[in-house]
Amino acid sequence: FPVTIAWVTDVGRLTVYAIDLDYSSLDLVLLSTTCLAALTGVLLGTYLLKKVTLRWVQTYVATGLFLLGFSMLIGLING
């Protein structure tokens, strides 16, 4: 059921994009590279995600948020 909701949402979104798209300025190399990168990410995620635990994701996100906050605190990043 969630896949159906995602599919319907994507079809609606892509339809709006297709109507508003200026096809004369379309960069086919960039579009192809982007699609290939997305496909590669999906395939890698399919194989690697099975090995990732929720605890690892929580630790990774917490570390990233800490580093982001600390960087803002010492002025490396302007927020």
Side-chain angles (χ1 to χ4, degrees), residues 9-32:
T9 302
D10 284 344
V11 167
R13 179 177 51 82
L14 292 173
T15 302
V16 171
Y17 289 164
I19 291 170
D20 291 337
L21 185 63
D22 179 17
Y23 290 96
S24 64
S25 65
L26 189 62
D27 184 0
L28 291 178
V29 173
L30 180 61
L31 180 62
S32 300

Side-chain angles (χ1 to χ4, degrees), residues 2-79:
V3 173
T4 305
I5 294 172
W7 185 83
V8 170
T9 302
D10 284 344
V11 167
R13 179 177 51 82
L14 292 173
T15 302
V16 171
Y17 289 164
I19 291 170
D20 291 337
L21 185 63
D22 179 17
Y23 290 96
S24 64
S25 65
L26 189 62
D27 184 0
L28 291 178
V29 173
L30 180 61
L31 180 62
S32 300
T33 305
T34 304
C35 289
L36 184 61
L39 179 63
T40 302
V42 167
L43 293 175
L44 285 174
T46 299
Y47 294 114
L48 296 178
L49 202 54
K50 295 175 185 173
K51 298 176 176 83
V52 174
T53 62
L54 183 59
R55 183 72 182 154
W56 183 87
V57 173
Q58 290 172 335
T59 303
Y60 186 78
V61 170
T63 303
L65 288 174
F66 174 78
L67 292 173
L68 177 64
F70 185 72
S71 298
M72 291 175 74
L73 184 67
I74 63 173
L76 288 176
I77 299 174
N78 294 326

